[in-house]
Amino acid sequence: MPARPLRTPMTVAVLGLLAERPRHVYDMRVEMRERGHDRTLKIKNASFYDALPRLVDAGLITEGETVREGARPERTVYRITEAGGSTLRDWLRELLDGPADDTSGFTVALMFMFALPRTEVIALLERRAERMREHVDETGHALDAAARDGVAPVFLADHAFPQALRRAELDWLRAFTTQLRDPATHWPGPGSDSPTKERR
């Protein structure tokens, strides 16, 4: 059997959370629930206990001290390594600039994009938007040609629907990058020009 890919939405999320600060599993679960990430990633306890050993074995995170809060059981604190931080940034670049059909990967990259400098994220999203524009234009021409040839809309629906989704994503990418260029838009990561704010 081929080896399982190390990069999954869950492993990206774990590295993203640990890049902010060392955490134990319960802390990660609470943080993701408060941010609404659990709705996107469908998180279960087993998801963490599958991802964490794989990241440890790859040298991207390490097991640290154990902590106990009140009568609760001891919990192991995990820390990201230098290699883990570098890998996270590489993964985010690939996912932000990646294929349009990888929506789950793109979404998790947006959750932790502030591990990269703002200017780099803007450049990556602009490149994604340009590729999306080219795809929208090409598909639009094909749909228009089919309609002129008398193809009924019912036979074009399976192409028209994803085209509508691509147009919506393109509109969002353009609007969001405009927001990011505005100095008043807070950026909590590298290249921040405003005080760090607690994310909630």
Side-chain angles (χ1 to χ4, degrees):
M1 288 181 62
R4 293 170 59 198
L6 181 59
R7 192 187 77 191
T8 67
M10 190 65 199
T11 56
V12 175
V14 169
L15 287 183
L17 288 168
L18 295 180
E20 297 173 9
R21 67 171 187 266
R23 301 176 188 268
H24 49 66
V25 170
Y26 181 75
D27 182 20
M28 286 189 268
R29 287 211 63 171
V30 169
E31 190 71 20
M32 296 180 84
R33 186 169 59 248
E34 290 182 352
R35 297 181 186 184
H37 295 172
D38 57 330
R39 292 191 294 274
T40 301
L41 297 177
K42 314 298 185 193
I43 297 166
K44 300 176 181 177
N45 271 336
S47 303
F48 285 102
Y49 295 112
D50 173 69
L52 291 168
R54 298 174 66 214
L55 291 171
V56 170
D57 290 345
L60 304 184
I61 65 174
T62 59
E63 294 184 5
E65 70 276 15
T66 57
V67 296
R68 183 190 295 273
E69 299 171 2
R72 292 173 178 161
E74 288 187 341
R75 297 188 173 109
T76 300
V77 175
Y78 293 86
R79 299 176 184 274
I80 194 168
T81 64
E82 184 176 344
S86 177
T87 297
L88 170 64
R89 292 186 292 274
D90 287 343
W91 285 355
L92 292 174
R93 292 181 184 108
E94 293 167 6
L95 292 168
L96 290 171
D97 189 33
D101 58 354
D102 183 13
T103 54
S104 61
F106 182 58
T107 301
V108 76
L110 291 174
M111 295 174 184
F112 299 101
M113 62 184 169
F114 48 83
L116 298 172
R118 181 202 301 248
T119 53
E120 185 175 5
V121 170
I122 291 171
L124 290 168
L125 294 180
E126 286 179 334
R127 195 156 62 207
R128 184 185 186 93
E130 178 57 23
R131 287 202 315 275
M132 185 69 70
R133 182 197 62 76
E134 292 173 355
H135 196 173
V136 165
D137 288 349
E138 180 181 341
T139 304
H141 293 324
L143 287 171
D144 290 344
R148 286 194 302 271
D149 289 342
V151 179
V154 68
F155 297 121
L156 298 174
D158 57 325
H159 299 286
F161 174 64
Q163 174 74 342
L165 297 181
R166 285 189 291 269
R167 287 184 185 278
E169 180 176 336
L170 179 57
D171 289 344
W172 181 84
L173 285 167
R174 288 169 169 167
F176 185 56
T177 51
T178 296
Q179 286 180 315
L180 291 183
R181 288 191 207 97
D182 183 351
T185 299
H186 174 64
W187 187 258
S192 174
D193 51 9
S194 57
T196 300
K197 298 178 182 177
E198 190 71 18
R199 174 172 178 168
R200 284 291 182 267

